């Protein structure tokens, strides 16, 4: 799962984090449409691993932050790691 400061990523509420899809032992992926007004300045996010029992492991430390103030792209691809 990915939790972040936009509605589609759960507004920083981990219980509403967006799911990622398992690709293989090294990769997960997801595609999300972020509301335009939510990304005027920055996007912050973190990863959450939720097992089949509902136990969660939350990425530690500070959220990842992407400055979007001057970005005019319609699509952004993130390749990231935890």
């Amino acid at each position: 799962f990915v939790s972040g400061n936009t509605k589609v990523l759960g507004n920083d509420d981990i219980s509403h984090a967006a799911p990622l899809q398992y690709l293989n032992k090294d990769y997960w992926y997801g595609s999300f449409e972020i509301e335009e007004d939510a990304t005027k300045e920055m996007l912050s996010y973190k990863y959450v691993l939720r097992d089949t029992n509902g136990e969660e492991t939350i990425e530690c430390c500070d959220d990842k932050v992407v400055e979007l103030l001057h970005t005019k792209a319609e699509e952004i691809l993130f390749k990231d790691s935890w």
Side-chain angles (χ1 to χ4, degrees):
F1 292 82
V2 62
S3 175
N5 67 336
T6 67
K7 183 177 180 180
V8 74
L9 299 180
N11 287 322
D12 290 321
D13 180 347
I14 291 172
S15 66
H16 293 98
L20 294 171
Q21 302 297 317
Y22 178 79
L23 183 61
N24 60 41
K25 67 181 183 86
D26 294 319
Y27 295 101
W28 291 77
Y29 69 95
S31 180
F32 311 102
E33 288 191 31
I34 306 294
E35 349 30 277
E36 185 176 334
D37 62 331
T39 59
K40 291 197 184 296
E41 295 186 20
M42 70 171 196
L43 171 68
S44 66
Y45 65 98
K46 65 182 153 201
Y47 297 107
V48 179
L49 181 62
R50 188 176 298 148
D51 69 19
T52 56
N53 296 321
E55 295 287 323
E56 294 179 335
T57 302
I58 301 167
E59 183 176 22
C60 76
C61 310
D62 296 330
D63 287 0
K64 295 170 179 355
V65 176
V66 179
E67 297 290 335
L68 298 173
L69 185 60
H70 301 291
T71 302
K72 296 185 189 221
E74 290 188 24
E75 184 173 302
I76 300 172
L77 172 68
F78 293 88
K79 186 173 181 182
D80 203 352
S81 63
W82 172 8

